[in-house]
Amino acid sequence: MRKRMIGAVFAAMTVAGLCAGCGQTKERVNEAGESVITVWSPTDEPAIEDWWVEKIEAFNQAHKGKIHLQREAIVRADSYAYEDKINAAITSNDLPDILFVDGPTVSVYAANEITLPLDDLFTEAEWDDFLDSSRQQNTYDGKIYAVSATESSVALYYNADMLAEAGIRVPESKEEAWTWQEFYDAAKKLTKDGVVGTNIIMDKGEGLPYVLEQFWISNGTDLVSADGSQADGYINSPEGVEAAEFLNSLIQGGYANIDPIQKEFHNERAATMLGGSWEVATLENDYPDLNWGVTYFPVAEDGILTSPTGDWAASVTKNTQDMDAVKEVMRFLFSEENVATYAQAISKPPTRKSSYDVLTEYNEYPRSLFKEQLMETGHPRPRTPSYSVLSAEFSEAMLNIFTGVDAKEALDDAAAATDKDYNKYYAQE
């Protein structure tokens, strides 16, 4: 199987062979004789940065004289600085021991043998404590390559006053979730007086496949085959085209904006919104006067109940020199206690089921709805080494469709580009 370098994720990728002979891995023992384990992860909110400081100090105190844990926080923002640094480290053979990667790219790093399998990191009973959606995201070719502390989900937020005024039913269980037709009818009825019925665009990059893939799944297909090897016949299948045309009907009808204003739902310019689980904290803290609710992700007629999942995950790189020390760090970072405190600090659902015994707010609405979706209807993004190409191609296809390009034609192009990448770099020869 040919290998490819990891390029800027969700952008053009640099094509090259893995540079096994480029540079030498640096010695990773400090003057005190401690094995130095380095973590790379993107910079985050102050609460998370504080969490890292506290946990690293606690770990180093407990392992003084044996292991020294350190972290390099790398600014990511809206650029590819983080991914560029990873690429440079791959080339120089100087990756950190532990590398945080976005969930759908776990497969990319695993397929290129940049990261290592972690099946023996926890016992079977311990792995069973992690949500299925998280384990699925972090599995490639039957092996676990990463571990996540938090999950995510998307549901349908609604302006309670607007729906009440329009006399629109709010689903109270996932079995009562709006069908696509009910979603469309509600969006049409709610569009008036400078307010659109819904917001379906989280952003014009990774937000599009993250949210909108579920319309393919609900309609009985997906963006690629289950083994990640083929997009043709999936993303552009009749069911896929139907999903794209339904979403486009919301845009073309004027019931959703292709260029929504910032915080469109929060500022009462959209009556509903397909929004992430993190929006609960934002709405509670920053929009206390808004009368809102959240309900289940819409479902195709006679379709599959589904909802997005996925978040950043920690992987172990091929350059690590002390696997025993790395495993000690990983078991510490993803212990029951630390998963719970990390999830609480970042206001995201935890990946460990036992954490919900501590974070009791997830037993109460509205957070309970996201917990329910994660445990019962969650689907991670496709696990394919060509995900970076698939993501960019899907986003471009949907934006083209929203601006007038034929849905089948746009999705055919996306399928062809994705399959070309997979067949060139990953197909068995």
Side-chain angles (χ1 to χ4, degrees):
M1 180 181 290
R2 296 181 183 176
K3 308 298 175 190
R4 97 179 305 184
M5 295 286 283
I6 305 302
V9 181
F10 315 131
M13 297 179 73
T14 302
V15 178
L18 288 181
C19 196
C22 297
Q24 299 296 320
T25 304
K26 295 178 182 177
E27 187 75 13
R28 297 186 178 181
V29 178
N30 64 15
E31 293 180 355
E34 297 169 321
S35 183
V36 178
I37 303 302
T38 302
V39 176
W40 282 5
S41 65
T43 55
D44 216 312
E45 298 295 326
I48 290 301
E49 294 301 318
D50 291 343
W51 183 93
W52 275 109
V53 171
E54 176 187 338
K55 296 304 176 182
I56 289 174
E57 182 179 354
F59 181 89
N60 287 338
Q61 284 291 331
H63 296 81
K64 195 173 182 64
K66 297 179 180 180
I67 307 171
H68 180 79
L69 175 61
Q70 61 186 27
R71 170 178 175 254
E72 184 172 349
I74 301 164
V75 176
R76 188 166 187 259
D78 294 324
S79 67
Y80 295 107
Y82 185 72
E83 288 77 17
D84 289 344
K85 187 174 179 67
I86 295 172
N87 294 338
I90 293 170
T91 302
S92 63
N93 207 34
D94 193 26
L95 287 160
D97 300 277
I98 298 171
L99 178 66
F100 274 72
V101 300
D102 197 7
T105 65
V106 168
S107 298
V108 185
Y109 292 100
N112 286 281
E113 298 177 1
I114 292 167
T115 55
L116 305 176
L118 299 173
D119 297 78
D120 62 350
L121 182 62
F122 294 111
T123 66
E124 184 175 348
E126 288 170 329
W127 278 123
D128 285 343
D129 190 40
F130 287 84
L131 293 172
D132 289 343
S133 58
S134 183
R135 290 177 63 181
Q136 289 169 12
Q137 172 200 266
N138 297 324
T139 297
Y140 176 72
D141 198 24
K143 298 178 181 178
I144 298 174
Y145 280 87
V147 189
S148 303
T150 53
E151 258 290 12
S152 67
S153 186
V154 171
L156 186 67
Y157 290 79
Y158 60 88
N159 185 302
D161 293 334
M162 292 181 185
L163 264 67
E165 181 181 346
I168 295 174
R169 173 188 71 89
V170 177
E172 296 183 357
S173 70
K174 63 181 184 297
E175 291 78 16
E176 297 177 355
W178 280 350
T179 64
W180 291 1
Q181 186 62 53
E182 288 174 315
F183 183 28
Y184 179 90
D185 291 343
K188 181 179 180 179
K189 191 171 185 179
L190 291 163
T191 300
K192 60 181 180 178
D193 302 328
V195 176
V196 292
T198 194
N199 180 311
I200 61 171
I201 297 180
M202 184 174 293
D203 62 50
K204 293 183 178 179
E206 179 58 19
L208 288 172
Y210 170 61
V211 176
L212 302 185
E213 178 201 7
Q214 305 305 311
F215 287 88
W216 270 248
I217 295 173
S218 186
N219 211 30
T221 186
D222 205 336
L223 304 186
V224 295
S225 58
D227 64 1
S229 67
Q230 185 174 345
D232 186 40
Y234 294 87
I235 189 173
N236 59 341
S237 65
E239 295 83 2
V241 172
E242 183 180 18
E245 289 178 339
F246 167 72
L247 292 166
N248 190 38
S249 71
L250 294 168
I251 299 291
Q252 299 308 316
Y255 314 136
N257 289 321
I258 189 173
D259 293 306
I261 65 169
Q262 188 174 15
K263 299 293 184 183
E264 190 175 50
F265 174 79
H266 308 62
N267 292 311
E268 300 186 78
R269 296 287 298 277
T272 66
M273 168 185 70
L274 287 174
S277 46
W278 55 89
E279 295 288 5
V280 171
T282 300
L283 289 165
E284 288 177 341
N285 296 330
D286 300 339
Y287 298 86
D289 296 329
L290 186 65
N291 186 15
W292 61 276
V294 63
T295 188
Y296 301 88
F297 204 96
V299 62
E301 300 287 345
D302 300 320
I304 298 167
L305 289 165
T306 184
S307 54
T309 66
D311 205 357
W312 284 72
S315 58
V316 174
T317 78
K318 64 187 180 69
N319 287 154
T320 190
Q321 294 183 356
D322 190 342
M323 194 63 175
D324 288 339
V326 168
K327 287 181 177 179
E328 186 72 14
V329 171
M330 291 284 282
R331 283 192 286 264
F332 170 79
L333 292 177
F334 298 98
S335 67
E336 292 183 30
E337 177 185 353
N338 287 336
V339 165
T341 57
Y342 184 92
Q344 187 172 44
I346 203 171
S347 297
K348 288 184 177 180
T351 54
R352 296 194 70 146
K353 300 169 188 174
S354 56
S355 297
Y356 290 97
D357 295 334
V358 178
L359 303 179
T360 55
E361 61 266 33
Y362 286 95
N363 295 327
E364 300 177 5
Y365 177 86
R367 288 173 176 82
S368 59
L369 186 142
F370 292 101
K371 174 185 173 183
E372 180 184 0
Q373 285 196 157
L374 283 169
M375 291 188 170
E376 299 182 18
T377 67
H379 282 89
R381 279 159 283 181
R383 288 166 290 165
T384 173
S386 292
Y387 185 81
S388 296
V389 174
L390 172 65
S391 172
E393 290 292 333
F394 177 81
S395 298
E396 182 178 354
M398 292 309 300
L399 293 174
N400 286 340
I401 292 166
F402 292 159
T403 54
V405 175
D406 177 74
K408 181 67 163 61
E409 177 184 338
L411 295 174
D412 282 346
D413 289 345
T418 303
D419 286 350
K420 180 180 179 180
D421 180 85
Y422 185 90
N423 291 330
K424 184 174 183 179
Y425 299 108
Y426 301 105
Q428 295 287 345
E429 297 180 341

